[in-house]
C-alpha cells in the first residue's frame, strides 16, 4: 500500500485522488469540530463553500448552521467553528448541521473524487488510520493548510495517522518523502501534541484570539474512535 501526503489541498489536482482513500485534515479546527460534533450526537454535517449557500441550505431545510471566517464566527450565524460549541450535541435543535469554514470544508469538497473520503485529526488519528487501512487502497493524506499555505497542525495530524499506519502495515507500507517527514514530526510531538499546535501560524493566531481551550481540545491524541466519512454531500460517522 502506498501512502502520499498533499500538503495544501487548494493546490492539489482533485483528479489525482481517483481510486484512493483520502483522509482530510484541518486540525485547527474544522475536522476536529466535525469529529466532536458527530461524537456528541449530530447525525449529518453538510460541508459548504460559501456562507450564503450555507445559510440558504440551513434556512430552507431547518438545519443547524455553523460557520467561520478568519477564525471568527460568521456574523448572523448561530454557531462558529469551535469544537467546544458542539460538545453538548444538538439538544432540541436539528441533528443535521451545515458548516462552512475558511479552508477545511473546501478541502473536504475538493477530495470528493477519492473512492472513499475520511475525516481525520489528532482527536481520532488511531481510528481513522485503522479505517483507512481496512479500505485496502492507496491512501492520500490531504492537509487543508491555511490560506493556501502549509499548516503545521495538519502535518501533525497526518503524521500521527502515518505512524499508526506503519504499525498496522508491519513493513508493507510505501510512504512518500512528505509522509515520512510528517511521521517523524509526529514522533517528535507524540508526548506533547499541544506544543505543536501552539507553534504553528494558525495556532498562534487562535491563541491571540483567546482560543487556547480550542487548541487544548484539538490536541487530545486518540480521544475519539469516531471516523467521519463524506459521501453524497454529507459527512456521517462510519459504523465501526
Ligand atoms: C478553516 O477551515 O480554515 C478553519 O477550520 C479555521 C478555524 O476555524 O480555525
Amino acid at each position: 500500500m502506498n501512502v502520499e501526503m498533499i500538503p495544501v489541498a487548494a493546490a492539489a489536482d482533485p483528479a489525482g485522488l481517483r481510486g484512493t482513500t483520502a483522509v482530510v485534515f484541518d486540525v485547527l479546527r474544522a475536522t476536529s469540530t466535525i469529529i466532536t460534533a458527530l461524537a456528541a450526537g449530530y447525525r449529518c454535517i453538510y460541508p459548504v463553500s460559501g456562507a450564503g449557500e450555507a445559510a440558504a441550505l440551513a434556512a430552507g431545510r431547518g438545519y443547524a448552521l455553523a460557520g467561520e471566517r478568519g477564525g471568527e464566527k460568521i456574523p448572523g450565524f448561530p454557531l462558529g467553528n469551535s469544537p467546544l460549541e458542539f460538545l453538548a450535541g444538538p439538544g432540541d435543535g436539528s441533528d443535521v448541521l451545515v458548516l462552512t469554514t475558511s479552508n477545511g470544508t473546501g478541502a473536504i469538497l475538493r477530495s470528493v473524487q477519492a473512492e472513499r473520503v475520511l475525516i481525520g485529526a489528532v482527536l481520532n488519528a488511531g481510528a481513522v488510520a485503522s479505517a483507512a487501512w481496512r479500505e485496502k487502497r492507496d491512501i492520500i493524506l490531504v492537509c487543508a493548510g491555511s490560506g493556501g499555505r502549509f499548516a503545521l497542525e495538519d502535518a501533525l495530524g497526518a503524521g500521527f495517522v502515518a505512524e499508526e499506519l506503519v504499525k498496522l502495515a508491519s513493513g508493507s507500507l510505501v510512504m512518500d518523502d512528505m509522509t515520512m517527514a510528517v511521521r517523524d514530526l509526529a514522533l517528535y510531538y507524540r508526548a506533547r501534541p499541544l506544543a505543536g499546535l501552539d507553534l504553528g501560524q494558525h495556532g498562534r493566531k487562535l491563541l491571540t484570539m483567546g482560543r487556547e481551550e480550542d487548541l487544548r481540545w484539538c490536541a487530545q491524541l486518540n480521544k475519539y474512535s469516531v471516523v467521519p466519512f463524506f459521501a453524497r454531500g454529507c459527512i456521517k460517522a462510519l459504523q465501526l
Side-chain angles (χ1 to χ4, degrees), residues 1-187:
M1 182 185 285
N2 296 306
V3 186
E4 288 178 26
M5 192 186 107
I6 292 174
V8 181
D13 173 13
L17 294 169
R18 283 198 193 114
T20 71
T21 296
V23 185
V24 185
F25 301 87
D26 182 24
V27 170
L28 292 176
R29 294 165 291 175
T31 58
S32 300
T33 293
I34 288 165
I35 293 160
T36 304
L38 291 176
Y42 285 89
R43 186 173 49 84
C44 161
I45 302 173
Y46 286 99
V48 170
S49 295
E53 187 194 344
L57 175 61
R61 308 238 182 116
Y63 296 157
L65 174 64
E68 162 277 338
R69 289 295 181 271
E72 302 281 11
K73 182 163 80 68
I74 296 175
F77 277 43
L79 295 158
N81 187 32
S82 165
L84 305 179
E85 291 177 82
F86 301 89
L87 261 184
D92 291 338
S94 173
D95 62 1
V96 178
L97 179 67
V98 180
L99 175 68
T100 179
T101 72
S102 304
N103 303 281
T105 48
I108 294 166
L109 293 166
R110 277 183 77 81
S111 302
V112 71
Q113 294 199 31
E115 192 68 26
R116 178 67 115 173
V117 181
L118 304 177
I119 308 295
V122 175
L123 287 173
N124 73 343
V128 80
S130 301
W133 174 252
R134 282 195 300 271
E135 295 282 333
K136 295 187 169 52
R137 282 183 217 99
D138 288 343
I139 296 170
I140 312 233
L141 307 172
V142 181
C143 295
S146 188
R149 299 175 72 175
F150 176 84
L152 181 61
E153 64 275 8
D154 296 339
L156 199 50
F160 284 128
V161 169
E163 172 56 9
E164 295 293 335
L165 288 169
V166 167
K167 287 188 212 154
L168 288 164
S170 49
S172 62
L173 211 63
V174 180
M175 294 185 284
D176 72 349
D177 286 7
M178 197 97 71
T179 306
M180 285 193 270
V182 298
R183 179 193 171 209
D184 280 352
L185 182 77
L187 291 174

